[in-house]
Amino acid sequence: MCGIVGYVGYRNAVPVLIKGLEKLEYRGYDSAGIACVDHQKGSLSVIKEKGKLGILKEKLGDFTIEAHIGIGHTRWATHGEPSRANAHPHVDASGKIALIHNGIIENYAVIKNALQKKKVRFLSQTDTEVGVNLIGSYYRKSPKLFDAVKRAVGEMHGFFSFVLFSKDDPDTLIVYKRSNPLVIGLGHGENFAASDVTALLPYTRQVIYLEDEDLAVITAKEISIYSLKEKAWIKRHPSTVHWDASQAQKQGFPHFMLKEMYEQPEVLKNILIKRIQKNGEIFFDTVDRKFQKRLRKIKRVSMISCGTAYHAGMVGSVAMGKYARIPCQTEVSSEFRYGTPILNPKDLVVLITQSGETADTLAALREAKDKGAVTLAVVNVVGSTIAREADAVIYTHAGPEIGVASTKAYIAQLATLLLLSFYMARIRKTIPATDLKALLREFKKMPEHCAKVLKESKKFDRCAEKHYTRRNFLYLGRGCNYPTALEGALKLKEISYAHAHGYAAGEMKHGPIALIDHEQPVICIAPDSLTYDKMISNIQEILARDGIVIAIGTEGQKDLEKMSDDFFSIPKVPEILSPLLTVIPLQFFAYKVAVLNGRDVDQPRNLAKSVTVE
Ligand code: AGP
């Protein structure tokens, strides 16, 4: 959470920072600010505002600044309410050092106390201001910023990254990373730092992903990295980013979320091309023979993730049990890491994450590694921390996802986890080759089916128009579509702010049935499946109590269509593949309800795209 960007070089820093923040705003949007050294006057300017970047941009219209060094920040509030005073950058008491920060300094209160005793005054409630003042206190004793930062971070607990500079040396940025992402962009006569490569793509594709405890000194011409872990100056090799910058634009769509929903058939197609070879074998380019050998010995699988990625893990778990015949559990990362998990080298822990930076999932990965389990990351963002720290990684290749509500990344996670389960089934010989062939043949049709469901989206619009003022929704599903019910409910609540609850349909009688009356919409996910008849019984029970039934079924289910107030159908597909389609109408429904309620679809209140604090 929080987007950070830094620049030093020949261009005017201000537009570079603003352009970077536009790309990073999805990380947090409680306030935005920049700090730079005015090239003519040599003075430090800090301009920051509460609210979205647009407000800061308007404010910047009052200034003409030419600067060749600067830092910019977009905030997701942790310590202190969203306000101008709490907005970053923060400046130390001497007024010389400006700093932006992503993460949490856990022992900030103790440090603040000590600094207050030395008469340092604080203007905000943030841990960030404490950090910059601790650095400032050492800088005043010996004016070498690098040494001051090195000493100060040694006293700070928690996980965070910083970018800072002093107006005494307006040619040098200092950056530090501990757990939270930080990437350096390499230019000619200029260099960049950011929490996310998307901010760098307009300028460079050559990047260095910093490792934990790296402290880098960046000038327009040079980058030097000191590893606090290795206690030495080190070389980190640059990588090339292959993402297409245009993928991070709206391309005529009113919202990123809608654009990303429409990209789903293409995402599926790419995954299938990459993962299914001409000879019909499933192939993961990043899984080598040695890792494959470890996979053969696996006796138990845990799928660990948060939010939408957790729902993808639940579907993956059903497939892993059914096809690879391995006991498989799913757990949210925050519960797993504190639940003293019992693990050994025959356990495979699969960490599923779009961003590859989610704090709880990263902590779960470290816990699993500590306990000797085999770890596999299923990640979208290439080069992210979780992708780098796991024993192996499988990329989901969904491309940049900007909308806070995850859509195409979910589809990509589902497809990848299903293929992983089939792959495990193949190496464990728990699926006959002919069955797998037939399944993959059906899988290859999914991009086309997905495009068809998207095309029929207008129908979902009409249903949303009928119900968008309601405040309570119930979602029911069974088997591999129980996670679809959870995902549909999560989508609706995060972008429309209506209360939505996902339930296993069989559990309805154990409580939620009390909610049902003529005003209660129940979204029933009932495609062709082993439990179809059971779903029909649940729907009868809802109708008997006058509830409103919105059903997602399979083409040709006339009985279900007759029973429902609204009915959407998906093409007939094997049950295990159906979650790739049933979720699409639910994404549309959530999107339309949010738009009709005038919500900020891409940047819903209180949320951020990647949750890098616990
Ligand atoms: C989904 O719409 C969410 N915004 C959220 O639940 C997200 O899936 C979760 O925070 C996990 O993020 P990750 O995949 O980047 O780890």
Side-chain angles (χ1 to χ4, degrees):
M1 356 206 47
C2 295
I4 59 184
V5 59
Y7 176 78
V8 56
Y10 64 88
R11 303 177 206 240
N12 184 4
V14 179
V16 176
L17 298 175
I18 294 301
K19 203 163 175 179
L21 291 180
E22 281 168 1
K23 299 282 183 299
L24 297 175
E25 203 182 10
Y26 71 92
R27 298 182 70 93
Y29 29 84
D30 290 328
S31 61
I34 62 162
C36 49
V37 177
D38 191 302
H39 188 57
Q40 302 299 336
K41 302 177 204 151
S43 58
L44 176 66
S45 308
V46 179
I47 302 151
K48 50 190 192 177
E49 285 300 321
K50 178 184 167 185
K52 294 202 171 164
L53 183 63
I55 301 172
L56 175 72
K57 280 200 222 165
E58 238 171 69
K59 174 90 183 180
L60 279 169
D62 303 341
F63 298 84
T64 335
I65 310 169
E66 173 75 22
H68 296 294
I69 188 164
I71 54 180
H73 188 268
T74 172
R75 180 171 187 244
W76 186 85
T78 58
H79 294 60
E81 57 179 9
S83 68
R84 193 178 170 281
N86 288 332
H88 300 214
H90 287 279
V91 175
D92 79 316
S94 73
K96 287 184 176 176
I97 304 168
L99 177 144
I100 48 175
H101 162 216
N102 172 25
I104 292 177
I105 302 169
E106 285 169 356
N107 58 336
Y108 81 101
V110 179
I111 301 173
K112 188 171 183 174
N113 230 329
L115 289 170
Q116 277 169 329
K117 282 187 186 141
K118 291 181 192 159
K119 304 272 178 278
V120 176
R121 277 190 55 232
F122 288 89
L123 308 172
S124 79
Q125 301 151 305
T126 63
D127 51 345
T128 312
E129 197 188 5
V130 175
V132 73
N133 271 301
L134 184 62
I135 294 169
S137 70
Y138 291 131
Y139 185 66
R140 281 195 289 284
K141 285 187 193 149
S142 138
K144 280 198 182 132
L145 191 55
F146 174 85
D147 291 345
V149 177
K150 190 172 156 203
R151 196 163 163 197
V153 294
E155 290 175 28
M156 296 178 198
H157 303 166
F159 301 106
F160 45 83
S161 53
F162 291 145
V163 182
L164 65 150
F165 64 84
S166 160
K167 75 168 181 179
D168 290 344
D169 178 7
D171 299 315
T172 309
L173 285 175
I174 305 268
V175 307
Y176 170 74
K177 172 188 177 335
R178 188 191 294 166
S179 214
N180 286 11
L182 202 60
V183 56
I184 296 177
L186 312 179
H188 298 288
E190 59 182 350
N191 285 308
F192 309 79
S195 43
D196 190 323
V197 285
T198 49
L200 309 177
L201 288 181
Y203 308 101
T204 181
R205 289 176 173 275
Q206 289 297 107
V207 302
I208 295 175
Y209 293 104
L210 290 183
E211 301 280 331
D212 282 353
E213 300 302 335
D214 280 357
L215 182 57
V217 181
I218 306 177
T219 65
K221 296 220 171 90
E222 229 179 316
I223 291 159
S224 316
I225 303 171
Y226 183 84
S227 163
L228 294 179
K229 232 188 238 167
E230 294 175 35
K231 298 192 174 48
W233 292 94
I234 41 135
K235 269 226 145 339
R236 297 243 179 263
H237 294 290
S239 344
T240 308
V241 182
H242 295 288
W243 273 6
D244 176 1
S246 72
Q247 284 181 288
Q249 315 288 335
K250 277 194 207 149
Q251 293 169 346
F253 283 90
H255 298 101
F256 276 111
M257 182 185 175
L258 190 64
K259 179 199 156 223
E260 287 157 3
M261 279 154 58
Y262 275 103
E263 284 171 354
Q264 294 179 114
E266 203 52 34
V267 167
L268 276 179
K269 201 162 130 194
N270 286 341
I271 292 173
L272 293 171
I273 292 172
K274 268 201 174 76
R275 302 294 177 217
I276 305 176
Q277 290 183 304
K278 285 211 173 76
N279 62 6
E281 293 295 335
I282 298 168
F283 168 74
F284 297 112
D285 49 343
T286 43
V287 172
D288 59 15
R289 269 180 201 286
K290 213 165 132 207
F291 192 75
Q292 204 185 80
K293 237 174 156 183
R294 292 172 83 185
L295 287 182
R296 281 181 210 279
K297 294 186 187 142
I298 291 304
K299 294 268 181 274
R300 194 172 55 149
V301 178
S302 303
M303 303 260 185
I304 308 300
S305 39
C306 303
T308 287
Y310 169 64
H311 303 151
M314 288 174 79
V315 177
S317 182
V318 172
M320 198 63 87
K322 182 171 165 144
Y323 294 95
R325 308 300 300 146
I326 314 180
C328 186
Q329 57 150 357
T330 14
E331 205 165 351
V332 289
S333 312
S334 51
E335 290 299 315
F336 175 82
R337 57 175 299 201
Y338 291 116
T340 53
I342 303 162
L343 298 168
N344 65 52
K346 292 199 173 146
D347 273 293
L348 173 67
V349 177
V350 182
L351 295 307
I352 309 148
T353 165
Q354 187 286 128
S355 61
E357 305 292 350
T358 300
D360 282 319
T361 308
L362 178 57
L365 163 66
R366 290 175 177 167
E367 175 79 18
K369 282 182 86 170
D370 264 8
K371 297 233 155 97
V374 179
T375 57
L376 172 64
V378 172
V379 178
N380 190 35
V381 177
V382 176
S384 53
T385 310
I386 293 173
R388 283 182 287 122
E389 286 195 17
D391 296 329
V393 57
I394 297 177
Y395 286 113
T396 53
H397 294 293
E401 189 181 66
I402 309 295
V404 165
S406 188
T407 52
K408 65 170 180 171
Y410 178 63
I411 290 288
Q413 287 162 348
L414 285 181
T416 306
L417 291 170
L418 289 172
L419 288 168
L420 176 66
S421 308
F422 302 156
Y423 173 86
M424 291 293 279
R426 183 91 182 95
I427 63 175
R428 291 165 58 84
K429 300 191 174 51
T430 51
I431 186 168
T434 45
D435 289 9
L436 179 62
K437 217 169 148 192
L439 204 49
L440 293 183
R441 208 172 28 243
E442 290 299 320
F443 213 147
K444 284 185 181 162
K445 296 181 194 159
M446 295 309 284
E448 214 178 296
H449 292 327
C450 180
K452 187 166 184 262
V453 177
L454 278 163
K455 227 174 168 182
E456 287 165 13
S457 65
K458 276 282 154 259
K459 278 196 204 165
F460 318 137
D461 278 7
R462 280 199 293 277
C463 176
E465 277 157 18
K466 274 199 262 175
H467 300 294
Y468 77 95
T469 52
R470 296 186 191 280
R471 304 307 302 148
N472 277 301
F473 294 83
L474 190 60
Y475 287 68
L476 301 179
R478 284 175 181 258
C480 59
N481 277 299
Y482 164 42
T484 311
L486 299 180
E487 176 58 11
L490 176 65
K491 282 292 87 83
L492 187 73
K493 65 188 145 204
E494 71 180 328
I495 59 171
S496 80
Y497 319 150
H499 177 252
H501 204 120
Y503 246 93
E507 281 289 286
M508 184 180 71
K509 288 193 278 288
H510 301 279
I513 199 162
L515 294 169
I516 295 175
D517 62 16
H518 67 286
E519 285 188 316
Q520 179 65 57
V522 188
I523 291 109
C524 302
I525 300 120
D528 208 14
S529 69
L530 203 67
T531 50
Y532 178 67
D533 291 342
K534 306 281 167 214
M535 279 302 297
I536 293 295
S537 306
N538 291 136
I539 291 169
Q540 296 285 13
E541 289 153 11
I542 298 162
L543 292 174
R545 286 155 186 87
D546 241 2
I548 303 162
V549 172
I550 301 168
I552 315 291
T554 302
E555 282 166 2
Q557 285 170 338
K558 291 286 168 221
D559 51 344
L560 179 58
E561 186 168 2
K562 259 193 223 143
M563 279 177 204
S564 323
D565 293 83
D566 283 285
F567 174 72
F568 306 112
S569 63
I570 61 160
K572 191 168 168 53
V573 295
E575 182 179 356
I576 196 66
L577 301 180
S578 65
L580 289 162
L581 302 179
T582 47
V583 73
I584 295 171
L586 306 185
Q587 295 170 344
F588 265 103
F589 184 72
Y591 174 78
K592 189 70 187 177
V593 169
V595 169
L596 290 169
N597 279 295
R599 307 296 190 219
D600 189 339
V601 172
D602 285 334
Q603 297 178 338
R605 71 181 179 201
N606 306 338
L607 289 173
K609 183 69 183 164
S610 90
V611 182
T612 52
V613 292
E614 291 170 27

